[in-house]
Amino acid sequence: MSLEGRFDEAAGVVRVGDDARQRYHDSRGYGYPLEGNEIALSPVEAAHLLYRGDLEAIVDASGERLDFRSFVAREPGTKFGVRFLVYADLRSRGFYLSPAAKPWIADPPGGKADFAVFPRGKGPGDGEIAYALRVISERTDVAAGELRDGVLAVVDEESEITYFEVSRREPSGSSAAPLPDGCEADLLADRVVVWDPPLELYERGFYGQPLEGREYDEPTLQCSLLEAASLAERGVIDLDPARVRERGREVEGERFVRRLAVYTTLRERDVVPKTGYKFGADFRTYADVESVENLGHSELLVRVHPDGYVFEPRDLALDVRLAHGVRKTMVFALVDDAGEIDWWSLERLTP
């Protein structure tokens, strides 16, 4: 026998009595307990039970009995539709999940979220949360400062859902190499030529590209302004670091400053960054370079943004799909005015 719920508009919940606690909460993870056998359902949980036919109707304050269609039509807020779609999708995949703002659920990992998702096979009474889930439509921008550990569910205009796992990603590696001192170098328009440096600078440090037409055991290296600024700062080449940085700003503006901060940090962590131009990114990175001749695949694609950047979901989808297609992970380096960096990775997730 289907039950009826009562819409408590003041509390924003649907109350269901009789044997609702055992039928909906204890066995299937819906709602939270009230006194006796009564439970409170969030609007999205109540809508799902109406949709499945497990609730016969919801009665509002005026006594009107609402079926699924009329209840959904009345529900305020532009996010209700996309939240319902994600809730129904994850329920169909065998997950229990609850709106994060439940009195008996602590803030899920990641903080701000729409749902707390429980590990498969577990429910709200087990005291374990797999991840926080945030739901947006494809037309909802995401501010960089709002990124949180957890999962981002994006609902497109055809009601299909893409899930992204969002996590902090601190790059690290073991690509340390000995560096020479005072190599001769010339600053050109938008790059630097390093004349006859030790072979290890390229072979083990993976700095620059050899100038074609010269013998490989006497490499003349063409270096980017980022590489040159880093090498000049460490005394490897005989150029004034301030002069190289100024040239970088002339060529790229403040974008160069952010990219240099990221490049420098990666090198300090023994990660080799190389241009990511062919992949539409700022850098591709190598964690473990022993020799350029035995170079493996790069692991990360890094895109550099200011910390106040606002992402469009379509751009996120493009970046993540591209990285996945070339067997890499997409990482966003968010740089503040002091040069401090927040690192975030996004990867496609199939729940």
Side-chain angles (χ1 to χ4, degrees), residues 265-284:
T265 300
L266 288 170
R267 282 288 185 178
E268 288 172 348
R269 296 182 179 188
D270 294 333
V271 177
V272 172
K274 300 296 284 185
T275 179
Y277 171 77
K278 292 181 180 179
F279 304 105
D282 289 285
F283 302 111
R284 68 187 195 278

Side-chain angles (χ1 to χ4, degrees), residues 189-204:
D190 63 350
R191 65 202 65 225
V192 165
V193 175
V194 184
W195 301 104
D196 301 327
L199 179 60
E200 281 127 349
L201 188 61
Y202 172 69
E203 180 66 29
R204 292 187 58 192

